[in-house]
Amino acid sequence: MFNLNKEKKFSYIKKGKGHPLILLHGLMGGLSNFKALLDFFPKKGYKVIIPSLPLYNMPLLLTNIYNISKYITKFLMEIGIKKATLIGNSLGGHIALIIAKKRIDLVHSVVLTGSSGLFEKAFGYAFPKRENYEYIRKKSQEVFYDPNIATKELVDEVFHIVNDKKKGIKTLYIAKSAMKYNMSKDLSVIQQPICLIWGKQDHVTPPEIAKEFHRLLPHSELHWIDKCGHVPMMEHPKIFIEILEKWLSKFDFNYEDYFCKI
């Protein structure tokens, strides 16, 4: 369990001091997905912040990726962030891109891993056998190259979400909104540096999607991790961290650029 900080209506984890890394998980993910980054980067002079996404807290008609992005923008402003590196997996990457496009003042750079925004063969669009635990287990395992990463605890959590009527419906709303919010025509205007870290065996957002992101984003680098699925920071945390640390080391972060009050 993590100790959550509270700031008005926002809940988040924070650790360390320095340039802020804002970690945004996916639709079926959670704060624990970034545990390796939370353990590593504060020791290297970074402030790591993981906000709790309001996936199930908004009114149904407002439950969509655009409003979640607005929520995170308000969160960054509330805690006094001027510039940050947004690191997003799956839906979290999509949120990061929306914010980077709309609020260049808040975003220094972006890291995408298995990001939606162009195409996603998502787990959340329909649950034809949601009451079948074995089916949910199999679908959860398909997210990873190594099926053993999908622990019983992880499968239990997904099973609970899809079988909770309110959470299931809101998950479907968010997934469909992400599908509709295609960013292919928006990416060329995003001028911040982008690091793409992709699993070569990602079946949710396949390698062709990473290549298309790389083609459309003007200032992007593409890095591959072999024998890796949709959630590289969980499946190969050491390799992911090595790539990310090397990429971040290219920047000369000025304290005045990323001042925050927390």
Side-chain angles (χ1 to χ4, degrees):
M1 292 294 291
F2 297 104
N3 292 321
L4 288 176
N5 295 276
K6 301 285 186 179
E7 188 92 17
K8 294 187 177 179
K9 64 179 180 179
F10 305 106
S11 299
Y12 59 96
I13 298 168
K14 75 174 176 75
K15 188 177 179 181
K17 295 181 179 180
H19 176 71
L21 307 180
I22 312 298
L23 313 184
L24 305 169
H25 63 76
L27 182 57
M28 289 294 183
L31 306 184
S32 63
N33 292 177
F34 291 107
K35 184 180 184 304
L37 278 67
L38 183 65
D39 290 341
F40 180 85
F41 281 101
K43 300 173 185 176
K44 298 294 181 177
Y46 295 93
K47 181 191 295 290
V48 176
I49 301 171
I50 316 178
S52 181
L53 301 183
L55 302 178
Y56 312 117
N57 301 331
M58 293 179 170
L60 185 60
L61 293 179
L62 298 179
T63 300
N64 56 57
I65 191 168
Y66 177 73
N67 282 318
I68 295 172
S69 301
K70 283 178 64 177
Y71 174 93
I72 295 300
T73 298
K74 289 178 182 177
F75 167 69
L76 295 176
M77 294 172 68
E78 177 63 31
I79 64 174
I81 293 286
K82 282 188 175 180
K83 292 284 187 178
T85 296
L86 306 185
I87 302 174
N89 173 240
S90 198
L91 181 84
H94 201 161
I95 292 168
L97 286 170
I98 293 170
I99 298 171
K101 180 198 170 193
K102 294 180 178 293
R103 295 297 301 267
I104 191 171
D105 57 315
L106 299 179
V107 182
H108 170 274
S109 49
V110 178
V111 179
L112 304 176
T113 182
S115 178
S116 59
L118 292 178
F119 168 84
E120 184 178 17
K121 184 181 177 183
F123 183 40
Y125 298 149
F127 306 109
K129 303 175 184 177
R130 67 183 185 185
E131 295 178 0
N132 185 326
Y133 185 87
E134 184 59 26
Y135 169 79
I136 298 299
R137 185 183 68 81
K138 183 179 177 182
K139 298 300 290 184
S140 298
Q141 288 178 336
E142 289 176 359
V143 173
F144 305 98
Y145 176 81
D146 177 3
N148 293 319
I149 302 293
T151 62
K152 185 179 185 304
E153 182 181 12
L154 185 151
V155 176
D156 286 349
E157 178 62 22
V158 174
F159 186 78
H160 170 73
I161 290 171
V162 300
N163 283 284
D164 180 299
K165 187 175 181 180
K166 289 183 179 180
K167 288 184 177 181
I169 290 173
K170 288 189 174 183
T171 297
L172 193 61
Y173 267 59
I174 296 167
K176 286 185 174 180
S177 73
M179 202 173 175
K180 290 178 182 178
Y181 202 132
N182 187 285
M183 298 193 71
S184 57
K185 295 180 180 179
D186 301 316
L187 299 181
S188 64
V189 304
I190 297 176
Q191 297 300 311
Q192 295 96 326
I194 310 284
C195 181
L196 302 160
I197 307 177
W198 230 264
K200 282 187 176 181
Q201 289 77 29
D202 185 342
H203 298 300
V204 180
T205 46
E208 308 85 69
I209 303 304
K211 293 175 184 177
E212 186 68 358
F213 269 122
H214 184 38
R215 184 180 73 83
L216 294 173
L217 288 162
H219 306 291
S220 62
E221 292 184 11
L222 176 55
H223 302 268
W224 298 103
I225 299 181
D226 196 13
K227 297 182 179 178
C228 182
H230 186 57
V231 196
M233 72 282 183
M234 286 180 68
E235 197 155 13
H236 290 287
K238 289 183 179 179
I239 300 174
F240 186 93
I241 286 171
E242 182 180 311
I243 293 170
L244 179 55
E245 184 184 24
K246 186 175 180 180
W247 185 74
L248 288 170
S249 71
K250 297 189 301 183
F251 304 110
D252 180 19
F253 295 116
N254 186 309
Y255 180 80
E256 292 182 358
D257 291 337
Y258 58 79
F259 170 77
C260 61
K261 69 183 183 183
I262 63 171

